Amino acid sequence: MEKLLGEVTKEQLIDDFKVVVADAEALLKATASQGGEKIAEVRAKAEESLRVAKAKMAEAQAALLVKTKEAARATDVYVHENPWRAIGAAAGVGLVIGLLIGRR
């Protein structure tokens, strides 16, 4: 369960990082008309940093996808090998959720 929460957090982090990158790109485009050597230097550094960040983000997203697929395969194998345990676990989780909802 903790591993699943960590992956959800990673997924949210990737989504948030995409928003930051998009905002930074928009800022760079908005300042494109600004002149000056210092601004051009800062823009070049920012563009390079964004390029590197996008590459790392793509790698992290690919790794997360691989781990998610592995977890799905492992779950599928477990359910096929232990169908009654899976049914019992699902019934137990359903019972707990039903009790929690019933308290409200």
Side-chain angles (χ1 to χ4, degrees), residues 75-94:
T75 302
D76 187 51
V77 168
Y78 179 81
V79 169
H80 281 90
E81 290 177 357
N82 304 296
W84 290 110
R85 282 188 182 177
I87 291 170
V93 169

Side-chain angles (χ1 to χ4, degrees), residues 31-51:
T31 61
S33 62
Q34 301 293 323
E37 184 179 314
K38 185 68 174 172
I39 290 177
E41 185 180 317
V42 170
R43 285 189 76 240
K45 280 185 176 180
E47 287 173 350
E48 178 62 20
S49 295
L50 280 174
R51 186 188 63 74

Side-chain angles (χ1 to χ4, degrees), residues 13-83:
L13 181 62
I14 289 171
D15 291 341
D16 292 344
F17 193 67
K18 284 181 181 180
V19 170
V20 170
V21 168
D23 290 345
E25 286 177 333
L27 180 62
L28 287 173
K29 288 178 185 176
T31 61
S33 62
Q34 301 293 323
E37 184 179 314
K38 185 68 174 172
I39 290 177
E41 185 180 317
V42 170
R43 285 189 76 240
K45 280 185 176 180
E47 287 173 350
E48 178 62 20
S49 295
L50 280 174
R51 186 188 63 74
V52 170
K54 280 183 176 181
K56 287 183 180 180
M57 183 175 50
E59 289 174 9
Q61 195 170 12
L64 183 62
L65 183 62
V66 168
K67 286 182 180 181
T68 303
K69 286 183 179 181
E70 287 175 3
R73 281 190 206 108
T75 302
D76 187 51
V77 168
Y78 179 81
V79 169
H80 281 90
E81 290 177 357
N82 304 296

Side-chain angles (χ1 to χ4, degrees), residues 4-18:
L4 180 62
L5 291 176
E7 289 179 9
V8 170
T9 304
K10 288 178 188 176
E11 203 169 286
Q12 290 171 344
L13 181 62
I14 289 171
D15 291 341
D16 292 344
F17 193 67
K18 284 181 181 180

